[in-house]
């Protein structure tokens, strides 16, 4: 081994010992993890894996973990001039967040930390940057304590109103209790209030627009549809799963392709998830303000007693579509911070279509597919989907415009 490499290894081992002795558990060998020389992607993949393996059952809670980890990392890097120091601050912040909020995933987080610190020089500024990252994470975790984004608060019971035309009721086949009712009471990261961008009321039940929307769902979203094509069914199935799961590789593609600094790319991840959290808060505010019934309820009430959607209807009101608020938010953040098109095509998979992959060249096409997918699944009206895209875009635009205050 060259003398320089040996000295660097020894320095890394000294740094690792100096800054992690109190918090680093029995780390798995770094060689057991995917090898990358990109610190931002290393921590991105570690965060994604930790949440996938040990995250909460509520999506917004997992977005919150992402937001805290990466916002703390961005804040810790703000006064650090060197790339080495910024890498160290990133490591300290994300590691501290993961071992605090997802303690069951500490071994994996420790392994990434060990690999990262072994690659950094053993110097006081680097040790100080790791400590600053840890401190930023601890402050933000304390600041967000009691924000109403824990699973119990998210799914607080909703008093179902008496059945009436247009009013949400539990849907077949499970007739599950309403979900995500508590989001509307949670504390946003940036929004002044949950209703700041509440969309206009949905179309009246006797309007031509609503009649057209419902007719489209009845024809194309039925489990036994004779007009929905195989390609449309495939699109509905591909986009059926969690938005967080589906958009994690999309954001990763943007981060991987970005020519920006460690700080720029950290900020991209942070703002994406801050906007996602605030968007979901705004979504639940609108859903439960309007309490619009789902297409299956409307169609059954209209006399089609055997109609069922292609996919099971989620347990919350129709308007606006949550998948599409998430898409609208994601599209706006990525377009604002990296431009409307990817630097090169990117490919993603789907847990609900495990044999399928889709390739995109921009951030808009996933939004367009989400709008169609929820109609073809039979679980949303197109009007609810389009309102969702607008709401998510409005929230994200506001978050990005307030980035200096958020990131510092």
């Amino acid at each position: 081994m060259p003398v320089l490499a040996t000295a660097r290894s020894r320095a890394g081992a000294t740094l690792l010992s100096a800054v992690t002795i109190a918090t680093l558990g029995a780390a798995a060998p770094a060689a057991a993890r995917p090898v990358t020389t990109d610190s931002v992607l290393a921590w991105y993949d570690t965060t994604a894996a930790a949440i996938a393996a040990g995250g909460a059952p509520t999506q917004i809670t997992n977005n919150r973990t992402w937001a805290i980890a990466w916002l703390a990392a961005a804040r810790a890097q703000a006064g650090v001039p060197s790339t080495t120091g910024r890498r160290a601050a990133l490591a300290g912040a994300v590691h501290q967040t993961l071992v605090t909020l997802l303690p069951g995933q500490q071994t994996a987080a420790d392994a990434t930390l060990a690999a990262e610190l072994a690659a950094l020089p053993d110097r006081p500024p680097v040790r100080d940057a790791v400590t600053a990252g840890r401190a930023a994470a601890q402050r933000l975790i304390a600041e967000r304590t009691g924000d109403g984004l824990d699973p119990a608060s998210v799914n607080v019971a909703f008093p179902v109103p008496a059945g009436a035309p247009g009013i949400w009721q539990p849907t077949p086949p499970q007739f599950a209790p309403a979900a995500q009712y508590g989001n509307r009471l949670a504390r946003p990261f940036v929004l002044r209030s949950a209703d700041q961008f509440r969309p206009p009321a949905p179309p009246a039940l006797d309007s031509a627009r609503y009649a057209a929307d419902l007719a489209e769902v009845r024809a194309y979203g039925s489990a036994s549809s004779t007009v929905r094509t195989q390609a449309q069914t495939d699109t509905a199935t591909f986009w059926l799963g969690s938005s967080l799961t589906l958009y994690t590789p999309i954001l990763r593609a943007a981060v991987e392709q970005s020519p920006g600094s460690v700080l720029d790319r950290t900020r991209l991840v942070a703002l994406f998830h801050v906007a996602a959290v605030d968007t979901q808060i705004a979504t639940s505010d609108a859903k439960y303000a309007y309490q619009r019934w789902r297409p299956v309820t409307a169609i059954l009430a209209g006399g089609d007693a055997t109609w069922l959607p292609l996919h099971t209807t989620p347990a919350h009101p129709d308007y606006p579509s949550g998948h599409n608020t998430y898409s609208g938010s994601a599209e706006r953040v990525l377009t604002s911070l990296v431009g409307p098109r990817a630097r090169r095509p990117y490919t993603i998979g789907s847990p609900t279509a495990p044999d399928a992959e889709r390739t995109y060249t921009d951030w808009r096409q996933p939004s367009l597919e989400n709008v169609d997918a929820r109609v073809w699944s039979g679980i949303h009206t197109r009007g609810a989907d389009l309102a969702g895209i607008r709401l998510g875009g409005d929230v994200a635009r506001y978050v990005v415009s307030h980035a200096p205050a958020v990131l510092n």
Side-chain angles (χ1 to χ4, degrees):
M1 178 183 291
V3 173
L4 180 59
T6 303
R8 182 174 181 144
S9 269
R10 289 173 181 164
T14 303
L15 174 61
L16 177 62
S17 175
V19 300
T20 65
I21 190 167
T23 56
L24 182 57
R33 296 184 58 76
V35 177
T36 177
T37 58
D38 187 324
S39 295
V40 178
L41 287 183
W43 283 112
Y44 189 97
D45 292 343
T46 297
T47 308
I51 288 173
T58 42
Q59 175 176 275
I60 194 172
T61 311
N62 294 324
N63 281 117
R64 174 189 186 269
T65 299
W66 273 100
I68 288 174
W70 289 77
L71 183 55
R75 290 176 176 177
Q77 291 178 51
V80 179
S82 69
T83 297
T84 299
R86 288 174 176 174
R87 287 177 58 185
L90 171 65
V94 178
H95 180 268
Q96 184 68 49
T97 302
L98 294 181
V99 301
T100 303
L101 300 183
L102 302 173
Q105 302 304 306
Q106 179 160 350
T107 298
D110 286 353
T112 302
L113 182 66
E116 281 296 293
L117 295 186
L120 297 177
D122 182 12
R123 297 173 183 164
V126 176
R127 292 195 294 271
D128 290 346
V130 176
T131 300
R134 292 197 184 286
Q138 290 166 338
R139 285 193 300 272
L140 191 50
I141 290 168
E143 177 186 317
R144 296 300 304 181
T145 298
D147 60 8
L149 293 172
D150 58 285
S153 298
V154 167
N155 283 329
V156 66
F158 169 64
V160 178
I167 300 300
W168 183 84
Q169 297 288 296
T171 52
Q174 289 95 349
F175 296 95
Q180 303 172 13
Y181 178 57
N183 281 356
R184 72 196 218 292
L185 300 176
R187 173 159 46 95
F189 277 86
V190 184
L191 292 182
R192 297 191 302 271
S193 64
D195 64 354
Q196 184 175 342
F197 292 105
R198 183 184 292 174
L205 297 184
D206 60 355
S207 67
R209 172 61 187 275
Y210 187 71
D213 278 357
L214 198 60
E216 182 184 24
V217 179
R218 183 186 290 110
Y220 286 88
S222 169
S224 57
S225 174
T226 59
V227 295
R228 186 182 59 247
T229 66
Q230 185 60 52
Q232 290 168 336
T233 300
D234 292 345
T235 295
T237 302
F238 189 91
W239 288 102
L240 183 61
S242 153
S243 292
L244 171 59
T245 301
L246 288 160
Y247 268 90
T248 293
I250 296 178
L251 176 58
R252 190 189 192 280
V255 172
E256 181 181 22
Q257 296 180 22
S258 170
S261 67
V262 170
L263 177 57
D264 291 335
R265 297 159 81 213
T266 300
R267 286 171 168 171
L268 172 60
V269 179
L271 289 173
F272 183 100
H273 286 284
V274 166
V277 169
D278 282 13
T279 291
Q280 289 170 85
I281 292 171
T283 300
S284 288
D285 165 76
K287 279 182 177 290
Y288 287 101
Y290 295 122
Q291 299 179 23
R292 173 53 64 92
W293 61 6
R294 286 283 184 159
V296 63
T297 308
I299 293 169
L300 293 175
D304 191 342
T306 63
W307 192 93
L308 287 174
L310 172 64
H311 294 126
T312 300
T313 301
H316 39 74
D318 179 53
Y319 183 92
S321 159
H323 265 58
N324 282 287
T325 60
Y326 201 108
S327 290
S329 173
E331 179 189 343
R332 174 49 51 192
V333 170
L334 294 174
T335 299
S336 297
L337 299 183
V338 302
R341 299 186 63 81
R343 295 172 69 86
R344 57 183 178 274
Y346 62 94
T347 300
I348 66 170
S350 166
T352 50
D355 297 327
E357 289 186 332
R358 295 193 170 210
T359 299
Y360 303 98
T361 58
D362 62 16
W363 322 117
R364 177 62 173 160
Q365 188 60 33
S367 293
L368 297 176
E369 291 186 14
N370 259 292
V371 169
D372 288 334
R374 306 310 267 178
V375 174
W376 297 335
S377 283
I379 57 182
H380 273 301
T381 57
R382 186 169 294 274
D385 293 341
L386 294 174
I389 292 288
R390 288 191 296 271
L391 176 57
D394 286 344
V395 173
R397 189 177 294 108
Y398 184 81
V399 168
V400 171
S401 72
H402 286 73
V406 176
L407 295 167
N408 296 302

